[in-house]
Amino acid sequence: MHDPSAPADNQTSLVPRRPRFPDSIHFQGLNTPIGIEASRACLPVIGVLPEGLEGTFFRAVPDPAHPPMFADDNILSGDGMISAFRFHDGVVDFDIRYVRTARYEAENNAQRALFGGYRNPYTDDASVAGIDRTVANTTPVWHAGRLYMTKEDGRPYVIAPDTLDTQGSWSYDGALRSETVTAHARVDPETGEMFLFGYEAAGPCSLDVSYAVVDAQGQLVREQWFQQPYHGMIHDFAITQTHAVFPFFPTTTDLARLQAGGPKWAHEQNLECRIGIMPRSGDVSGIRWFTGPKGASAFHIMNAHDEGDLVHLDLFISETNAFGFMREAGGIHVDQRAIRGAFERWTFDMASDREDFAVTVLGPPGDMPRIRDADCGRAYGKGWYLTMNPQGGPPLPGGPVGAAFNALVRIELPHGRIDLMPLPPGHAISEPVHVPATQPGGSEWLLCVVDRAAEDGSFKSEVWVLDANKLVEGPIARVQVPLPLRAQVHGCWVPADQLP
Ligand code: V55
Ligand code: FE
């Protein structure tokens, strides 16, 4: 009798049992899925690790454990992995693990993707309805002795810093009402308080934004909600010593579009940006709204600070959204390399009732800024960020916009010297973490992953140790990593004396 399930000929038995990863920039180059959990002590080091560099560099990468349900999926959907580079006693130990989110566990049990499009629950397999769909892939956050992995579409997961075991989703013992928490928490260096917000706090496409404060002991002490002016994405925010600053850029979502299976975000070039500023310890009813240029976009803020009645906000602006898939969903078709931008200071006068603000250019375009943690919310003298050096050859394919940065900037502020550390062609650099000096006048360092394309198309990854004030001298030490590391989202440095 004919068996309909039998292969028709030998050919069909060669068809892969699983779908493949899609043929797009989100799964190629530095974005090639790796999915290897590993531990390795005493990585090879070229050069000499500086004395006093004791602590752990944690980093977050998205790395999809299964081929996605849809071919137009993007890198921001990848399962969160956390890695640790543990610097101690002149050696570096390395671990990398998946975050065991509820979503990771469900898909791991099924051995296939069950969650659908990027931040679109209406495209999920019916079997996972109601299961937390965050992938916790954006920033490792350290506060009050707790390590979190965060993503702006859900609540954080708590991770054991020594083993990288996932300890579960975190809601401050049930005190947190918001369904979402930003990946860009801000910690006041003097009070130790952590400031959080979450947009879509009441669920996908809700206009509710939460604003919360966690005290230095790790207790949630305050949470208030306000309404955002439109369904915009809010990736980062800022605090000063007296204000909280919420910038909204016109990349918007739409419930009907999601229900029809469409994309989460579309950039709207004709919509203005809006900036809400309130006393950071005050009531959300005290929020003041300012209006900025149409179609402008920013993901990351370097810092903010007060100067009398003025609030300065230093951020990386581009004239449209830097993510191709968010532009294209909004019908905007421009070449990635043609998009103009700058590192700008936006200055808001809280004493006047004007809706506009002053703009000053501080430096060349870029993103992925770092400051000394001790400078958060204060007037500050320097910062670091990544940029694109046009003389550095074609950028390596990788990261969410499809082109990896190839140079590091040190800038003295507000209008001081700018140093550039360009990488040789075929190299990519990830956002640095900053390691403060351990004694007054001592050296401060930057640690960052540098990826190099090999001739066979594979990648070699290293952690570079740089003197934060002598970038031109290049790396003091290069730590060789046994695996290619995917493009980093964000990282953090935890000094050894704070670790268990
Ligand atoms: C960003 C990253 C995300 C995300 C939304 O860098 C925005 C911006 C890694 O996840 O979901
Ligand atoms: Fe970010």
Side-chain angles (χ1 to χ4, degrees):
M1 210 175 103
H2 176 68
D3 176 339
S5 68
D9 53 42
N10 287 342
Q11 211 49 39
T12 33
S13 63
L14 296 175
V15 171
R17 198 168 58 89
R18 299 264 171 262
R20 288 162 188 271
F21 285 100
D23 197 12
S24 82
I25 179 58
H26 298 281
F27 302 91
Q28 293 167 345
L30 286 171
N31 292 342
T32 304
I34 305 291
I36 297 175
E37 300 190 300
S39 291
R40 172 88 186 266
C42 296
L43 300 183
V45 179
I46 298 169
V48 179
L49 294 169
E51 229 170 281
L53 183 59
E54 299 273 327
T56 302
F57 172 17
F58 293 102
R59 37 185 330 262
V61 294
D63 195 342
H66 306 281
M69 284 169 65
F70 303 106
D72 65 352
D73 198 37
N74 67 63
I75 186 179
L76 305 182
S77 283
D79 294 294
M81 290 191 94
I82 178 164
S83 51
F85 290 97
R86 307 177 194 280
F87 290 74
H88 67 98
D89 309 304
V91 299
V92 185
D93 300 339
F94 169 68
D95 301 291
I96 182 164
R97 295 278 182 281
Y98 277 110
V99 183
R100 263 49 181 193
T101 59
R103 170 178 174 143
Y104 177 88
E105 297 285 13
E107 296 189 333
N108 190 46
N109 289 337
Q111 280 297 298
R112 68 182 180 91
L114 297 170
F115 292 81
Y118 171 64
R119 292 171 68 176
N120 187 343
Y122 302 100
T123 58
D124 292 347
D125 189 279
S127 67
V128 295
I131 298 179
D132 182 7
R133 70 191 308 291
T134 190
V135 285
N137 68 2
T138 310
T139 311
V141 172
W142 177 258
H143 182 249
R146 228 179 254 130
L147 180 65
Y148 307 88
M149 278 287 276
T150 57
K151 185 178 183 73
E152 64 194 52
D153 68 348
R155 289 178 177 162
Y157 274 80
V158 175
I159 307 291
D162 46 356
T163 59
L164 303 187
D165 286 343
T166 302
Q167 297 177 328
S169 175
W170 184 247
S171 65
Y172 292 92
D173 300 316
L176 185 75
R177 286 185 295 130
S178 183
E179 292 184 20
T180 60
V181 172
T182 177
H184 288 286
R186 298 277 172 180
V187 177
D188 186 291
E190 281 168 73
T191 68
E193 294 164 290
M194 178 164 68
F195 296 83
L196 303 173
F197 73 94
Y199 70 95
E200 304 193 332
C205 301
S206 71
L207 284 171
D208 305 274
V209 180
S210 63
Y211 171 52
V213 184
V214 179
D215 70 15
Q217 287 71 47
Q219 300 285 319
L220 185 81
V221 288
R222 229 148 50 79
E223 179 181 0
Q224 291 188 302
W225 288 22
F226 65 91
Q227 298 275 300
Q228 60 161 305
Y230 48 73
H231 290 275
M233 173 186 225
I234 172 165
H235 183 67
D236 196 358
F237 86 133
I239 56 158
T240 70
Q241 285 179 275
T242 59
H243 291 96
V245 185
F246 302 91
F248 292 86
F249 300 99
T251 301
T252 61
T253 193
D254 181 80
L255 190 59
R257 188 170 75 221
L258 286 180
Q259 286 168 336
K264 172 71 178 174
W265 299 116
H267 195 65
E268 294 192 57
Q269 204 61 39
N270 289 317
L271 197 57
E272 286 152 330
C273 41
R274 305 293 307 280
I275 301 90
I277 304 183
M278 59 174 274
R280 85 176 195 187
S281 306
D283 191 277
V284 291
S285 60
I287 204 157
R288 267 226 15 225
W289 291 100
F290 294 83
T291 301
K294 284 183 179 171
S297 176
F299 282 90
H300 297 114
I301 294 167
M302 173 93 82
N303 201 6
H305 69 278
D306 301 309
E307 183 188 350
D309 291 323
L310 304 178
V311 171
H312 300 292
L313 179 70
D314 299 350
L315 74 181
F316 295 86
I317 286 288
S318 55
E319 61 188 343
T320 185
N321 194 307
F323 288 69
F325 65 92
M326 298 184 195
R327 287 195 302 274
E328 277 143 33
I332 302 158
H333 301 281
V334 295
D335 187 274
Q336 191 74 36
R337 286 159 301 183
I339 298 171
R340 283 168 305 177
F343 176 35
E344 293 185 354
R345 174 162 291 180
W346 287 7
T347 299
F348 306 89
D349 186 351
M350 303 306 289
S352 93
D353 50 16
R354 298 177 69 102
E355 247 190 73
D356 61 353
F357 52 88
V359 175
T360 322
V361 173
L362 297 175
D367 203 0
M368 315 311 267
R370 265 296 149 174
I371 53 170
R372 301 162 64 233
D373 290 343
D375 284 337
C376 181
R378 275 83 183 147
Y380 63 122
K382 61 188 167 189
W384 298 265
Y385 62 97
L386 304 182
T387 194
M388 204 61 98
N389 167 28
Q391 272 83 55
L396 291 189
V401 309
F405 288 111
N406 64 6
L408 176 61
V409 175
R410 176 186 180 277
I411 186 166
E412 293 182 359
L413 294 157
H415 296 288
R417 111 182 226 182
I418 297 177
D419 291 312
L420 185 75
M421 184 187 77
L423 293 173
H427 286 64
I429 186 167
S430 292
E431 180 185 82
V433 291
H434 177 267
V435 182
T438 46
Q439 71 236 25
S443 299
E444 42 182 342
W445 297 290
L446 299 181
L447 308 180
C448 55
V449 167
V450 172
D451 302 291
R452 183 174 76 245
E455 271 169 23
D456 63 359
S458 66
F459 293 92
K460 293 261 183 295
S461 300
E462 295 178 341
V463 179
W464 284 20
V465 180
L466 302 160
D467 185 314
N469 298 309
K470 297 177 188 159
L471 297 191
V472 286
E473 294 183 3
I476 303 165
R478 292 159 43 201
V479 182
Q480 298 187 303
V481 186
L483 305 168
L485 298 175
R486 284 166 53 90
Q488 171 180 324
V489 190
H490 299 292
C492 72
W493 170 257
V494 183
D497 60 7
Q498 292 185 30
L499 287 164

